Amino acid sequence: MPISPFSIRGARRSGAALLFATAAVIAMPSLAGAQTTLRIGMTAADIPRTLGQPDQGFEGNRFTGLTMYDALVLWDLSSATKPSVLVPGLATEWKADDADKTKWVFKLRPGVTFHDGSPFNADAVVWNVDKVLNKDAPQFDASQVGVTASRMPTLVKARKIDDLTVELTTKEPDSFLPYNITNLFMASPTKWQALYDKADGADPKAKAAAAWTAFAADASGTGPWKMTKFAPRERLELAKNEAYWDKARVPKTDKMVLLPMPEANARTAALLSGQVDWIEAPAPDALPQIKSRGFVLYQNEQPHVWPWQFSRIEGSPWNDIRVRKAANLCIDREGMKDGLLGGLMVPATGTFEPGHPWRGDVTFNIKYDVKEAQKLMKEAGFGPDKKLKVKTQTSASGSGQMMPLPMNEYIQQALGECYFDVQLDVIEWNTLFTNWRRGAKDPSANGSNATNVTYAAMDPFFALVRFLQSEMAPPVSNNWGFINNPKFDELVKKARSTFDADGRDKALAELHAASVNDAAFLYVAHDVGPRALSPKVKGFVQPKSWFVDFSTVSVTP
């Protein structure tokens, strides 16, 4: 039967709590500065890393990656109606070698400079590849490897051909490379070297670490925004880059202030009290009040999945496909959408929904069917008097996590009807994200046999490959549960080595269908990226993406 949202502990907040939070925020010092200042309340508990390779998932890329930095290839974020596609960034064109598909040639954009005034060129590209792949490079930083190398696992090296041409080499033919390198942001080698030369340290490694710490406090990229002030866990202030290479994307706002606000009610209170102009993921209960006060609510279906990712190691309760299918059939996603989240989700029946070119021939129909779920669980040996104990690791907030505690408590109760006994292990978001790359076998899993980390589904690697290919098991990438399915591996290889778009789409559709038919995940929801903005904020476009372009936004006095 449908579950009442009011029966979920923590799912609803009282009006008194919201008023208290509002009062607390009003007591904050005013953040208003110049007339054209955009103040944003993020869901992160801390400012994502600022040294070039952000942490905090794709919220990090959104706020401290794509603002201060550029990649060779970027996402088109200009449309609210069309899917985001790849567009030239710091590279104007790229092509795999006809004779050797492991080699790609990228032509670089001329006339680009870093915020410190130094030139962007092929040497800078090689330097930035080496910072995460070449352990012998002076600038190599192990702390940046996990969030970067795992997103481009086939890239081996970069070689300068001339000042505006660079060759990237992969360990095998990989048609996904242009997607992968959207996550490699270009930091200034000149700025870093100056900091290294002044750094204290007993040896080169210590000096390099000190240089990166100093760089994070005074960053230099090529992006449309420049760092002006940084206080960890408190705020990051950015100013528009008047000299940005893409004149159409020079910011229309003078200053942007980013504020960590992990609690939804605190974010909402900050917006309602005028302390910020924009919040990510407003509290669902407050949506009527937000709208009635004249604030503007934006949402758009994102290439995003809110799942449970199952452990498939020896002894995991999820190794039985009947159990995996039962869990998928036991969730009333429409009830979660309308009763818990105020309509701010799309029910998930896979990573891709019908109509998507990568959907494929899905035969496992994910729907709300408690009787069928109970039947499967009984066949697997469970019932009212013998429940299956499972444990899921999750967070209280975080990038793309939506409302993780209420949603997981909803699932906890729902699965109880299907003979599951669910335990939740709630940890801090960035710790959960780090554990994701360590895997189910690592002590950090704390006995969990599922993890609840949302994922982007914008491209083949992020949506499918990093979870389904056996070679992507930790520490390489995000196959947290150590899935080892020869059929998946065969289809990944087929898709990766297919360089024509139609053939690649067909292989990816086969892979996706195979994964859903195997109930590889507990597929729950697609986010719609809700954010609430002051009516003073103009020019914002909410794309079908995890990312947004702040350059188009203006703020009226």
Side-chain angles (χ1 to χ4, degrees):
M1 64 182 180
I3 298 172
S4 168
F6 295 98
S7 66
I8 308 300
R9 177 175 53 86
R12 298 281 184 178
R13 308 290 187 185
S14 69
L18 183 57
L19 289 172
F20 178 82
T22 304
V25 174
I26 290 173
M28 292 169 56
S30 174
L31 298 174
Q35 287 185 333
T36 54
T37 298
L38 176 65
R39 304 159 301 170
I40 300 178
M42 305 183 295
T43 67
D46 194 3
I47 300 295
R49 299 189 81 194
T50 56
L51 73 181
Q53 300 304 137
D55 59 357
Q56 308 270 1
F58 270 5
E59 186 169 23
N61 281 22
R62 183 188 311 139
F63 287 116
T64 64
L66 292 165
T67 49
M68 295 185 288
Y69 300 93
D70 291 309
L72 296 179
V73 183
L74 297 175
W75 291 98
D76 181 359
L77 304 173
S78 63
S79 175
T81 59
K82 300 175 183 177
S84 293
V85 296
L86 298 182
V87 293
L90 293 177
T92 57
E93 57 184 288
W94 53 90
K95 186 179 185 299
D97 187 279
D98 291 333
D100 183 356
K101 296 295 188 183
T102 66
K103 297 187 183 302
W104 290 74
V105 173
F106 286 76
K107 295 289 187 179
L108 306 183
R109 189 175 299 277
V112 177
T113 58
F114 289 98
H115 298 156
D116 59 277
S118 61
F120 167 77
N121 51 31
D123 290 322
V125 176
V126 173
W127 188 93
N128 276 278
V129 170
D130 284 350
K131 76 183 178 186
V132 291
L133 293 185
N134 183 1
K135 293 182 179 180
D136 295 326
Q139 73 275 19
F140 178 78
D141 183 13
S143 75
Q144 298 186 57
V145 172
V147 294
T148 311
S150 64
R151 295 172 172 175
M152 48 182 203
T154 64
L155 183 61
V156 175
K157 62 180 179 180
R159 179 177 71 87
K160 174 183 176 180
I161 296 177
D162 59 43
D163 278 352
L164 293 176
T165 312
V166 67
E167 178 187 82
L168 300 185
T169 301
T170 57
K171 65 182 180 181
E172 61 184 277
D174 188 358
S175 65
F176 307 154
L177 183 68
Y179 292 104
N180 295 161
I181 60 173
T182 59
N183 300 288
L184 179 64
F185 295 110
M186 297 292 142
S188 170
T190 301
K191 179 65 175 284
W192 184 88
Q193 188 63 49
L195 295 170
Y196 178 87
D197 291 341
K198 294 187 295 184
D200 293 326
D203 54 42
K205 184 177 291 187
K207 282 174 64 71
W212 277 118
T213 299
F215 190 96
D218 188 15
S220 178
T222 64
W225 297 88
K226 300 188 294 185
M227 177 187 288
T228 56
K229 183 178 180 180
F230 176 41
R233 292 195 175 274
E234 182 183 334
R235 63 198 283 147
L236 173 65
E237 297 185 9
L238 305 174
K240 70 176 178 179
N241 178 10
E242 296 273 15
Y244 188 56
W245 55 266
D246 185 350
K247 298 308 177 186
R249 292 190 58 235
V250 173
K252 291 180 170 56
T253 302
D254 294 320
K255 179 180 175 182
M256 181 160 62
V257 180
L258 305 176
L259 302 161
M261 293 184 176
E263 209 285 316
N265 275 330
R267 288 194 301 276
T268 302
L271 181 72
L272 294 174
S273 65
Q275 293 295 307
V276 297
D277 311 296
W278 169 320
I279 60 170
E280 302 283 284
D285 283 357
L287 294 181
Q289 185 181 8
I290 289 171
K291 293 176 183 177
S292 69
R293 295 272 296 275
F295 295 94
V296 183
L297 183 67
Y298 286 86
Q299 58 178 298
N300 205 343
E301 184 175 349
Q302 295 183 338
H304 162 284
V305 181
W306 195 102
W308 279 9
Q309 189 174 348
F310 300 135
S311 168
R312 300 299 301 279
I313 64 177
E314 185 177 355
S316 171
W318 300 109
N319 284 335
D320 190 328
I321 191 172
R322 296 169 297 187
V323 170
R324 300 196 302 274
K325 286 188 172 182
N328 273 284
L329 294 172
C330 204
I331 308 299
D332 180 7
R333 293 163 179 82
E334 291 292 342
M336 176 183 283
K337 171 186 174 183
D338 297 329
L340 186 65
L341 297 179
L344 298 180
M345 67 166 266
V346 174
T349 63
T351 295
F352 306 108
E353 297 306 314
H356 194 286
W358 300 342
R359 172 71 176 183
D361 184 18
V362 172
T363 56
F364 173 43
N365 182 18
I366 294 177
K367 58 184 178 179
Y368 183 43
D369 190 341
V370 172
K371 288 185 178 180
E372 179 62 21
Q374 291 175 339
K375 177 184 174 184
L376 288 167
M377 288 296 285
K378 287 177 179 177
E379 290 175 2
F382 302 97
D385 299 322
K386 184 185 179 183
K387 294 198 170 186
L388 176 60
K389 292 186 176 181
V390 295
K391 183 177 182 180
T392 297
Q393 200 164 73
T394 187
S395 63
S397 64
S399 172
Q401 293 290 90
M402 301 173 68
M403 303 289 287
L405 281 183
M407 291 171 74
N408 273 293
E409 289 165 355
Y410 185 101
I411 292 171
Q412 183 181 45
Q413 183 173 329
L415 292 186
E417 292 190 50
C418 298
Y419 317 135
F420 289 89
D421 180 1
V422 177
Q423 180 182 353
L424 299 176
D425 181 22
V426 183
I427 59 178
E428 189 270 333
W429 160 240
N430 218 33
T431 302
L432 178 71
F433 191 75
T434 299
N435 292 355
W436 194 32
R437 298 190 299 271
R438 292 174 174 164
K441 296 178 181 178
D442 191 82
S444 64
N446 194 27
S448 296
N449 39 56
T451 189
N452 169 224
V453 180
T454 57
Y455 63 88
M458 299 180 297
D459 66 74
F461 179 75
F462 268 71
L464 299 169
V465 173
R466 60 178 172 156
F467 306 120
L468 301 177
Q469 187 181 26
S470 61
E471 293 178 14
M472 294 297 107
V476 176
S477 196
N478 298 113
N479 182 357
W480 179 89
F482 293 84
I483 289 174
N484 187 358
N485 186 317
K487 183 177 181 180
F488 294 171
D489 289 345
E490 176 187 344
L491 290 170
V492 167
K493 185 175 181 179
K494 180 179 178 181
R496 180 173 264 152
S497 60
T498 301
F499 284 75
D500 78 273
D502 289 343
R504 184 170 60 243
D505 284 353
K506 183 177 179 181
L508 291 168
E510 289 184 67
L511 177 61
H512 176 255
S515 66
V516 176
N517 293 338
D518 193 53
F521 287 3
L522 174 58
Y523 302 96
V524 179
H526 304 295
D527 197 5
V528 294
R531 41 184 58 97
L533 278 60
S534 163
K536 297 189 300 180
V537 177
K538 308 294 184 182
F540 174 59
V541 175
Q542 172 112 349
K544 292 178 178 292
S545 174
W546 278 48
F547 309 130
V548 299
D549 186 359
F550 298 105
S551 296
T552 65
V553 174
S554 63
V555 181
T556 59

